Each structure stands twice: as C-alpha cells, then as structure tokens.
Amino acid sequence: MDKKLKLSRAMYNAEAALEYLISILVGTSFLATLTKNLGISDSVTGIVTSFISLGALFQLFSMFIQRKKMKNFVIVLSIINQLLFLSLYVIPLSFSNKPFKGALFIIAIFTAYIVYYTAHPKKLTWMMSLVQDNERGRFTANKEIISLLVGMIFQFTMSAVIDAYAQKGEIKTAFIISAVVIFVIMILHTISMFLTVEPDIPQPDKQKLSTTIRDTFSNKNVLKVAFVLILYHVSNFSTSFYGTYQISELGFSLKFISIVHIVGSFVRMFVSRFWGRYADRHSFAVMMEKCFIFFGLSFLCFMFATPSNGKIMVLLYYIFHYISMGGISSGTMNLVFDYADPDKRANSLAVCQAFSGALGSLTTIATSPLLAHIQNNGNTFLGFNIYGQQLFSFISFTLIIIAIIYTRKTFIKNKNML
C-alpha cells in the first residue's frame, strides 16, 4: 500500500470519528435537552428526530450531480451541514420569542440533514473506493471501533459539562461551550477530508435523472435490498421518542444516559470486528439477519422499561442495540454495494437509503399524534396502562421479526442472488 493511500485510509477513520462526535451532540438525549429548553413537546421532538431519516430522501438530489471528481463538492456541503448543526446551540441563546426560536430550530435541523444527505452517497462512494471489496467488512469494523472509543470519552465529558451547568441554572453557558466544540471539530473534520485522496471512480454515463432512477429500479436485487432497508428504518421509528422518554418519564440525567451509552459502545467495539470478519466470510446478508435478532431483543427490553425498572431495562436495551448496530451500521451500505454495479453504487445507495429513510420518518410523523393522545389520557391506551414508547417498541419488535424472515427467505435461501 503506497503512502498516499495509507494516509487517506487513516484520514477516513479520522473523518468518520469526527463526524460521529458532532452527531452525538445533535442526537437523542442532547437533542431532547435542546428541544426541552425551547419548549418543544415530546411528540414534536420525535418528529424532529425523525428528520434524520426523512432527510435521507434528499439523497436523490445527489443523482443530479454528475462529475468526475466529488471531493470539493463534498467538503463544501459538509462545512455547510456542520455550521447548521452548530446553529442548533446558538438559536436557544438568541431572540426572546420561544415559538419563533422553535420554528427556526426546526428549519435549521431540517436543512442540515438535507445538505448532509445530498453529499452522503458521493462521500461514501469516494471514501469506500479506498478499500478493496474483500476488506470492506473488516475495514468498516475498525473504523467504527475508533469512532466508538473516541465517542465514549467525548459523550461522557460533554454530558457531565452540560449536566453541571444545568444544575447551576446556567444551561446557556453549556450551549455556548457545545457550539465552540462543534466549531473546532468542524475545522479538524475539514482538514481530514482535504488530506484524503480521491481515486478515479467508475462513473455512470450521463443521463436524465428519470432514466437513472428507472435503471436503478430495474435492478430487482437492488429493490430487494431496498425493502430490507425499508423494514429496518420503519421498525426503527420508535427510537425517535426514546430520548424524551428517558429524560422525562424515566428521569435520567444526561450523565447516566452517557454511561449506558458507554457500556453499549464497549460491547459494540468488541463485536464490530467479529461482525466484519463474519460478513467477509459469509456475506453481509447473513450477517444482517443475525444482527436483526439482537435488534429485536433491544426493542423487547425497552418495551418493558418503566420508572421502577428503567435503569436495568434501558441498560439491556443499549447492550442489545449496540450488538446489532456493530453490524447493521455498515451492513446497510455494504448490502447495497454487494448487489449494485460499481459505477451505479452511489445512485443505488441514494435510492435505497432515500426511500427507506423517508418511510421511516413518515412512520414517526404518523405515530406522533398517537403518542400525544396516550400522554393526554394519562398514559392509557384501549383501557391499558402503558406508555406510548412501550407500545411503539412492541410495534418495532414485530416489524423486525418480519425483516428477519424476509432476509432469510430472500437472500440466504435464494442462492441465485449471490
């Protein structure tokens, strides 16, 4: 391996880790802390969280962009995206009108994900072109381990800082610190991308967007992969409501939430290399089926989480969740790469993730009024005492069982696809 390629692969690891740190500060419990400060309800917070998936629909924008070199385009959009994420911590410090701040916050996070997902397929195709196909499983596993290790320390530190200032009634100081941290990470992230070389990547012939989409949908194997991703993203809708549930109903501090995240991350570090080697030996489809089993168990644990046993059940949730994500996070991308032609990987990835992510987000939006209804009725549904997040966890568990059955029958038993 020449020095430039070796440095570029190291920079890819650094880029992924730095991007992950920013995602921590704008996700789940941190996002719930921001929305709570702005007076945004739990149900609306769930919808805002789902923008992560709905934004995936805008990956289709990347199909309009056809050029031989994508590096500068990706870097510019990454900077814009991260500045918008930074603004999420600035908005609560500005203006006096809470409804206006809330609306501005929602516009900022939605725009941030539109920008992110427009560049995402191009960036992944660029970065993964540095890795041989028979090494993808192990490389992505090592990349995740680095991100998780750095992320654990970072999340605990930032959680402790925000909790400390919140207890002193100085939450705005915590927001200023968070904004500065995001800015520093953004600078380092940009440098890592500049230092990454861009190899020559096979490009599809220039054609109309409608033709590109039609060609992508004509690949039956890619469509079957897309349906797996749809089942995964739709089943994942309930997690959009978990952040507020842990902070409000279960009464957890950010520090405790970061601790269970750290435990889960340690578990994920130990299993990531195993899942990577397993996928390289058996296929990403076989690996995904096994990961879905643990994913289902995580929903089962959260389904039984109440204020009386919350700490134990949520800890178990994170353990099973992170075991599954040790393979799923890279498997969703690599499964597409397995069944798409090299010159069509970016477009196939855009189509698969766009539609599956959008359907997952729309599911969250559709179920958000149900959560509000259950909460307004004293946490009862059809005469049963139940929290909305528990009901949603049951629905997610059922959907992931369907995903397991579909993956086995379609990809594993049907050897003609391989």
Side-chain angles (χ1 to χ4, degrees):
M1 185 186 302
D2 62 50
K3 289 183 179 179
K4 283 187 177 180
L5 182 58
K6 188 174 183 179
L7 174 63
S8 294
R9 290 174 64 153
M11 287 299 101
Y12 182 18
N13 284 322
E15 181 275 332
L18 291 165
E19 187 175 76
Y20 177 60
L21 298 186
I22 293 178
S23 73
I24 288 173
L25 283 177
V26 297
T28 57
S29 54
F30 288 93
L31 180 62
T33 300
L34 285 165
T35 57
K36 186 177 180 180
N37 180 266
L38 291 169
I40 297 173
S41 68
D42 288 2
S43 57
V44 174
T45 298
I47 294 174
V48 171
T49 305
S50 75
F51 284 168
I52 297 172
S53 298
L54 183 60
L57 184 62
F58 294 93
Q59 292 189 67
L60 296 178
F61 285 170
S62 69
M63 298 170 70
F64 284 103
I65 304 155
Q66 297 181 10
R67 55 174 72 181
K68 290 184 178 179
K69 297 293 182 181
M70 299 302 306
K71 180 175 177 177
N72 292 338
F73 167 79
V74 170
I75 290 174
V76 170
L77 262 63
S78 293
I79 292 171
I80 295 171
N81 157 251
Q82 289 166 6
L83 284 173
L84 286 165
F85 279 148
L86 186 155
S87 74
L88 300 182
Y89 282 92
V90 175
I91 290 170
L93 308 174
S94 312
F95 313 107
S96 57
N97 189 312
K98 270 197 173 182
F100 177 75
K101 287 197 289 188
L104 192 60
F105 181 91
I106 292 172
I107 291 170
I109 194 169
F110 191 39
T111 307
Y113 280 112
I114 290 175
V115 174
Y116 173 81
Y117 281 114
T118 299
H120 187 62
K122 303 298 185 185
K123 189 193 79 171
L124 273 183
T125 305
W126 160 30
M127 296 292 189
M128 288 305 294
S129 69
L130 303 167
V131 185
Q132 296 293 325
D133 281 350
N134 62 352
E135 297 177 355
R136 280 191 278 122
R138 284 163 289 178
F139 180 84
T140 50
N142 290 334
K143 176 169 63 70
E144 284 190 5
I145 289 171
I146 294 169
S147 296
L148 288 168
L149 187 59
V150 177
M152 284 188 292
I153 301 169
F154 178 79
Q155 181 167 359
F156 182 80
T157 302
M158 291 305 299
S159 296
V161 168
I162 293 175
D163 278 344
Y165 279 103
Q167 288 171 6
K168 292 190 294 183
E170 301 176 9
I171 190 66
K172 289 188 176 181
T173 303
F175 290 168
I176 293 171
I177 293 172
S178 299
V180 172
V181 169
I182 290 177
F183 181 77
V184 172
I185 295 172
M186 181 190 74
I187 298 298
L188 296 174
H189 180 262
T190 303
I191 293 171
S192 72
M193 297 182 84
F194 269 119
L195 294 176
T196 305
V197 299
E198 184 180 12
D200 291 327
I201 303 170
Q203 297 291 328
D205 295 332
K206 287 190 176 181
Q207 55 188 11
K208 293 181 179 179
L209 179 64
S210 58
T211 305
T212 301
I213 294 176
R214 187 180 67 245
D215 288 349
T216 303
F217 276 101
S218 66
N219 187 329
K220 293 182 179 179
N221 288 340
V222 171
L223 288 181
K224 290 174 182 177
V225 172
F227 190 65
V228 174
L229 267 60
I230 287 171
L231 288 170
Y232 162 65
H233 281 286
V234 172
S235 70
N236 204 33
F237 84 96
S238 57
T239 61
S240 297
F241 304 100
Y242 286 178
T244 56
Y245 186 66
Q246 292 174 74
I247 290 174
S248 301
E249 283 81 0
L250 299 183
F252 295 164
S253 67
L254 281 177
K255 189 181 291 186
F256 174 78
I257 294 172
S258 72
I259 289 172
V260 292
H261 269 290
I262 287 172
V263 173
S265 295
F266 266 118
V267 173
R268 181 170 172 176
M269 284 173 57
F270 283 113
V271 301
S272 287
R273 284 185 63 84
F274 166 78
W275 286 132
R277 290 193 301 268
Y278 188 84
D280 286 338
R281 286 198 308 267
H282 299 284
S283 81
F284 281 97
V286 174
M287 181 204 70
M288 288 284 284
E289 181 208 25
K290 303 300 184 295
C291 290
F292 282 157
I293 294 172
F294 289 100
F295 199 54
L297 287 173
S298 71
F299 289 127
L300 200 61
C301 290
F302 209 95
M303 186 170 69
F304 291 103
T306 62
S308 62
N309 65 9
K311 289 187 175 180
I312 295 174
M313 299 311 295
V314 169
L315 174 61
L316 289 173
Y317 161 77
Y318 277 113
I319 289 173
F320 287 126
H321 177 79
Y322 276 111
I323 289 175
S324 66
M325 293 310 296
I328 291 174
S329 61
S330 64
T332 53
M333 172 193 68
N334 282 305
L335 196 60
V336 176
F337 278 32
D338 276 348
Y339 293 102
D341 295 332
D343 64 331
K344 294 181 173 62
R345 283 176 171 175
N347 289 342
S348 296
L349 186 67
V351 170
C352 288
Q353 293 194 338
F355 285 102
S356 61
L359 286 172
S361 183
L362 291 173
T363 303
T364 302
I365 294 170
T367 53
S368 183
L370 177 58
L371 175 65
H373 172 76
I374 293 172
Q375 290 178 331
N376 292 336
N377 283 274
N379 294 315
T380 60
F381 180 70
L382 299 179
F384 294 96
N385 291 322
I386 189 170
Y387 290 101
Q389 288 86 345
Q390 291 178 302
L391 174 64
F392 291 171
S393 297
F394 171 73
I395 296 171
S396 293
F397 174 75
T398 304
L399 289 170
I400 209 64
I401 294 299
I402 296 171
I404 293 169
I405 296 170
Y406 178 80
T407 302
R408 167 157 287 274
K409 288 189 173 182
T410 304
F411 294 96
I412 300 172
K413 289 189 175 181
N414 185 2
K415 300 296 183 182
N416 293 328
M417 288 191 64
L418 301 176

